[in-house]
């Protein structure tokens, strides 16, 4: 018995080979870790989600019985507690990202944690010549005969 040539597990495996997991691995300790590495755990959870499987008990069961999961995990069965921990960690990160995107809103790609309305813009070189991005507002003032006739304040980079 073998997998069909067009099984999505092959596509997932190819995509995973091209991804950089250094950030994920940097947050994981090798101490007292046995069995699954975080990249393989991520692959299992991702493949389960691709197939519409969301329960951990079902994922663990499929890692023992489903040929695609067995192929992906190289025959190793994940520990139930490891999956719960990984899903909880992923869930927390997703909630943080959701919060960040809600704060940022549509049409923006950054915000300042100290001033949520400000956006990051590259300023003129300062005395240190480091040209950092700084939280700023775009302020434009129209003046005629020394009087301000119009002003515009925005958090958009224009």
């Amino acid at each position: 018995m073998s997998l069909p040539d067009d099984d999505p597990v092959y596509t997932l495996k190819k995509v995973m080979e091209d991804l950089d997991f250094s950030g994920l691995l940097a947050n994981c300790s090798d101490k007292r870790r046995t069995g699954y590495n975080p990249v393989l755990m991520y692959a299992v959870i991702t493949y389960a989600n691709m197939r519409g499987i969301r329960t951990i008990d079902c994922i663990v069961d499929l890692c023992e019985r489903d040929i695609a999961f067995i192929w992906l995990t190289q025959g190793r069965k994940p520990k139930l507690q490891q999956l719960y921990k990984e899903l909880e960690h992923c869930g927390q990160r997703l909630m943080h990202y959701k919060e960040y995107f809600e704060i940022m809103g549509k049409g923006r790609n950054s915000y300042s944690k100290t001033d949520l309305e400000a956006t990051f813009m590259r300023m003129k070189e300062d005395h240190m010549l480091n040209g950092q991005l700084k939280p700023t507002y775009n302020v434009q003032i129209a003046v005629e005969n020394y009087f301000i006739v119009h002003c515009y304040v925005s958090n958009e980079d224009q």
Side-chain angles (χ1 to χ4, degrees), residues 8-27:
V9 75
Y10 295 127
T11 305
L12 175 64
K13 182 76 171 166
K14 285 181 184 176
V15 169
M16 299 263 318
E17 288 170 357
D18 292 337
L19 293 176
D20 177 17
F21 288 101
S22 58
L24 173 66
L25 295 173
N27 291 324

Side-chain angles (χ1 to χ4, degrees), residues 40-117:
L40 187 56
M41 189 70 70
Y42 179 78
V44 168
I45 293 170
T46 301
Y47 186 63
N49 278 304
M50 287 169 61
R51 292 185 43 185
I53 300 160
R54 305 284 194 268
T55 62
I56 294 174
D57 295 330
C58 190
I59 294 171
V60 171
D61 187 52
L62 286 170
C63 287
E64 290 179 336
R65 303 172 191 274
D66 186 280
I67 191 164
F69 277 92
I70 293 169
W71 179 86
L72 183 62
T73 63
Q74 302 159 352
R76 293 183 293 178
K77 179 185 172 189
K79 293 182 179 158
L80 195 60
Q81 190 60 35
Q82 281 179 311
L83 277 170
Y84 277 118
K85 186 177 177 182
E86 184 65 25
L87 279 180
E88 186 178 319
H89 182 66
C90 289
Q92 288 173 345
R93 279 196 322 229
L94 285 174
M95 292 309 293
H96 284 294
Y97 290 140
K98 180 179 181 271
E99 182 181 321
Y100 297 153
F101 283 113
E102 285 174 354
I103 291 170
M104 205 167 24
K106 293 183 180 181
R108 292 176 64 188
N109 61 6
S110 68
Y111 70 93
S112 169
K113 289 182 181 179
T114 57
D115 185 351
L116 300 181
E117 296 297 318

